[in-house]
């Protein structure tokens, strides 16, 4: 953590203060908060090897940037927040940071596309959180494909076949296990998307801001 | 920064170009190059979990998968999967060493100023602002979390957590608003 603090600090090399709009300030601050959660909680969750840990982290971060997006009614803002968080993450302490870096960028892209297309309301927040939650299942295959190459998929396929043979499971049972796993992610995504919108409404009520 | 970025891209390209016939002609020189550029990049091998992952990939896969067509010291393994694992092993090491070398050699502030040069001016300003605000955001989050832990719970755990998150978000929004107003004030004074 000490190394973290040493690297990530405002310094004389950063560009001079230029006049930023309120939207831009909010994007920067919510992006920094997202990055902070990724650096701190992300490391803890990875270390504890929590089941569905990636999904928990993704939905927690989605609550942050979806709240930010509620206050910044500008397309591209989630992508900017993701860029900030990903850049902060890649300079954090840790050996394997390439995977999380790619994950943050792809998640911000998915979220940006969905919210821009669907608009800012509870339904879009639920859909976005669900999409990100399910993406965490696919992400290891994508990032490992980049790091290890396409041969990793051949290894995964053969491993699944070995497991089904060992446990004497019909392949259809494996499909059911995967579907149940996806369903659990959808429950988590729905709850967090619903929660994110409720939280944003409550925050707005506590601190009304006029962005006109 | 440009020198290290170019080197990083070259390492990535060399990792992508690895195949069973050329891997040793590319892998060994690139690893030696990284060693001379930044020895600290090799500190990733000090983490036992990382080493365990690599070893299980290199040794575990050929022992468990594929047709066991070769023997070494009495242990049967698959030569096809061993070749595959070796290639993946070399590729992953090059990519991870390259990333570590790049992040060791450049500072986050250089990234912020470098973004301006590739015409991502607006993003570089946002990123600089985020860097400046990060210590304060960390303090806000830590203080709010300490309050959450100290405050006795009168409701169920979800309501308690919800109230805490509302508090955190309100403080962040308030801080962002104040940051913007302070910036405006400073601009007017200038």
């Amino acid at each position: 953590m000490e190394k973290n603090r040493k690297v990530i600090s405002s310094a004389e090399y950063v560009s001079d203060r230029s006049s930023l709009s309120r939207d831009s300030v909010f994007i920067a601050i919510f992006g920094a908060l997202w990055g902070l959660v990724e650096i701190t909680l992300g490391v803890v969750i990875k270390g504890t090897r929590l089941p569905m840990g990636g999904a928990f982290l993704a939905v927690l971060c989605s609550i942050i940037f979806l709240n930010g997006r509620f206050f910044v009614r500008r397309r591209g803002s989630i992508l900017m927040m993701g860029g900030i968080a990903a850049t902060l993450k890649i300079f954090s302490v840790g050996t394997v940071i390439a995977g999380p870096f790619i994950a943050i960028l792809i998640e911000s892209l998915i979220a940006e596309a969905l919210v821009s297309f669907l608009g800012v309301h509870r339904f879009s927040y639920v859909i976005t959180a669900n999409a990100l939650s399910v993406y965490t299942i696919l992400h290891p295959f994508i990032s490992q494909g980049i790091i290890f190459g396409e041969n990793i998929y051949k290894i995964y396929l053969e491993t699944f076949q070995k497991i089904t043979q060992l446990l004497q499971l019909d392949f259809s049972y494996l499909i059911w296990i995967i579907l149940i796993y996806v369903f659990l992610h959808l429950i988590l995504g729905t709850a967090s998307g619903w929660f994110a919108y409720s939280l944003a409404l409550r925050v707005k009520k506590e601190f009304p801001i006029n962005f006109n | 920064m440009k020198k290290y970025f170019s080197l990083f891209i070259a390492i990535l390209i060399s990792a992508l170009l690895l195949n069973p016939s050329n891997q040793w002609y590319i892998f060994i020189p690139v690893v030696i190059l990284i060693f001379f550029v930044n020895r600290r990049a090799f500190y990733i091998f000090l983490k036992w979990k990382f080493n365990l992952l690599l070893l299980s990939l290199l040794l575990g896969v050929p022992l468990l998968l594929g047709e066991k067509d070769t023997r070494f010291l009495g242990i049967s393994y698959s030569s096809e999967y061993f070749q595959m694992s070796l290639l993946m092993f070399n590729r992953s090491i090059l990519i991870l060493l390259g990333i570590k070398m790049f992040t060791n050699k450049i500072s986050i502030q250089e990234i912020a100023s470098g973004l301006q040069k590739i015409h991502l001016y607006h993003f570089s300003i946002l990123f600089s602002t985020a860097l400046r605000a990060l210590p304060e955001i960390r303090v806000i989050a830590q203080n709010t979390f300490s309050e959450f832990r100290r405050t006795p719970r009168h409701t169920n755990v979800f309501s308690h957590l919800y109230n805490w998150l509302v508090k955190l978000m309100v403080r962040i929004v308030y801080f962002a608003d104040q940051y913007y107003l302070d910036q405006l004030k400073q601009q007017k004074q200038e």
Side-chain angles (χ1 to χ4, degrees):
Chain A
M1 270 328 249
E2 213 35 66
K3 187 186 171 190
N4 223 9
R5 284 205 194 98
K6 196 179 163 190
V7 171
I8 303 171
S9 64
S10 54
E12 54 275 7
Y13 296 110
V14 301
S15 57
D16 292 335
R17 284 181 192 263
S18 300
S19 178
L20 284 176
S21 64
R22 189 180 248 139
D23 276 359
S24 298
V25 169
F26 270 66
I27 289 170
I29 283 165
F30 274 91
L33 181 62
W34 181 358
L36 184 67
V37 169
E38 287 281 351
I39 291 164
T40 52
L41 275 180
V43 170
V44 169
I45 287 171
K46 269 272 180 198
T48 54
R49 296 262 178 241
L50 205 67
M52 287 173 57
F56 279 112
L57 183 62
V59 298
L60 181 62
C61 293
S62 70
I63 290 170
I64 292 169
F65 67 70
L66 287 174
N67 267 262
R69 183 65 173 83
F70 186 85
F71 293 102
V72 180
R73 299 298 175 107
R74 196 172 16 147
R75 287 184 180 182
S77 52
I78 297 178
L79 212 49
M80 293 281 206
M81 289 180 216
I84 292 168
T87 312
L88 288 172
K89 180 67 185 177
I90 205 153
F91 283 90
S92 66
V93 174
T95 309
V96 186
I97 46 175
F101 174 76
I102 297 165
I104 294 168
L105 290 178
I106 294 177
E107 282 166 14
S108 60
L109 194 64
I110 294 170
E112 184 61 59
L114 285 170
V115 174
S116 296
F117 182 68
L118 296 170
V120 175
H121 46 75
R122 197 180 290 274
F123 177 69
S124 70
Y125 276 32
V126 167
I127 296 290
T128 303
N130 272 317
L132 297 184
S133 184
V134 170
Y135 172 74
T136 60
I137 302 173
L138 301 172
H139 175 70
F141 299 104
I142 295 170
S143 64
Q144 286 171 21
I146 293 169
I147 293 170
F148 296 112
E150 68 272 9
N151 286 332
I152 195 77
Y153 301 124
K154 193 175 173 184
I155 288 172
Y156 272 127
L157 195 61
E158 185 146 340
T159 307
F160 281 132
Q161 285 169 349
K162 282 261 176 189
I163 290 171
T164 51
Q165 275 171 19
L166 201 72
L167 299 174
Q168 292 175 333
L169 281 177
D170 195 28
F171 198 67
S172 60
Y173 285 119
L174 203 60
I175 300 290
W176 273 109
I177 292 168
I178 293 168
L179 283 174
I180 290 168
Y181 191 59
V182 170
F183 183 66
L184 290 172
H185 280 74
L186 289 174
I187 293 173
L188 183 64
T190 304
S192 58
W194 191 277
F195 179 75
Y197 195 75
S198 300
L199 182 64
L201 286 177
R202 175 80 185 271
V203 171
K204 191 181 176 186
K205 198 175 155 188
E206 301 280 335
F207 191 85
I209 296 175
N210 187 1
F211 280 90
N212 293 332
Chain B
M1 183 184 137
K2 207 173 172 180
K3 179 176 71 172
Y4 295 114
F5 184 69
S6 307
L7 183 59
F8 170 59
I9 296 296
I11 292 168
L12 281 186
I13 291 170
S14 61
L16 294 174
L17 291 175
L18 280 183
N19 62 50
S21 54
N22 69 13
Q23 60 178 322
W24 297 115
Y25 298 114
I26 294 175
F27 180 74
I28 295 171
V30 174
V31 166
I32 292 171
L33 175 67
I34 296 172
F35 181 77
F36 283 114
V37 169
N38 182 229
R39 286 176 208 192
R40 273 179 56 226
F42 289 81
Y43 286 8
I44 57 174
F45 296 111
L46 293 176
K47 295 186 192 295
W48 66 269
K49 280 184 188 174
F50 178 68
N51 294 333
L52 187 64
L53 177 71
L54 287 182
L55 281 175
S56 59
L57 175 70
L58 184 63
L59 302 176
V61 167
L63 288 174
L64 297 171
L65 302 178
E67 197 188 316
K68 313 282 184 292
D69 55 352
T70 321
R71 290 176 80 88
F72 179 73
L73 297 176
I75 302 170
S76 304
Y77 68 94
S78 165
S79 59
E80 183 201 356
Y81 277 82
F82 180 70
Q83 287 297 325
M84 212 186 284
S85 297
L86 193 59
L87 186 64
M88 290 193 294
F89 179 84
N90 289 341
R91 176 177 163 142
S92 62
I93 284 179
L94 284 186
I95 290 174
L96 295 172
L97 280 176
I99 292 170
K100 208 65 190 163
M101 181 273 308
F102 182 64
T103 54
N104 283 347
K105 276 294 178 186
I106 65 160
S107 70
I108 204 165
Q109 292 80 12
E110 283 174 286
I111 286 276
S113 58
L115 287 169
Q116 288 182 49
K117 292 176 188 166
I118 54 169
H119 305 295
L120 283 175
Y121 184 70
H122 188 61
F123 181 75
S124 76
I125 295 176
L126 288 183
F127 187 67
S128 303
T129 306
L131 276 185
R132 268 192 288 269
L134 193 63
E136 185 63 37
I137 292 168
R138 186 184 269 137
V139 166
I140 292 171
Q142 278 172 348
N143 289 344
T144 313
F145 184 61
S146 302
E147 280 175 34
F148 165 71
R149 289 181 71 178
R150 278 198 315 263
T151 312
R153 190 159 50 91
H154 300 297
T155 56
N156 64 63
V157 65
F158 294 111
S159 299
H160 189 61
L161 183 64
Y162 177 66
N163 291 334
W164 169 70
L165 279 171
V166 168
K167 216 177 255 186
L168 173 66
M169 282 298 168
V170 166
R171 286 172 183 176
I172 293 290
V173 168
Y174 177 76
F175 168 67
D177 203 45
Q178 285 301 305
Y179 191 99
Y180 169 68
L181 293 172
D182 289 344
Q183 178 206 236
L184 272 185
K185 222 181 274 179
Q186 228 174 1
Q187 289 287 323
K188 277 182 188 161
Q189 281 168 4
E190 283 164 11

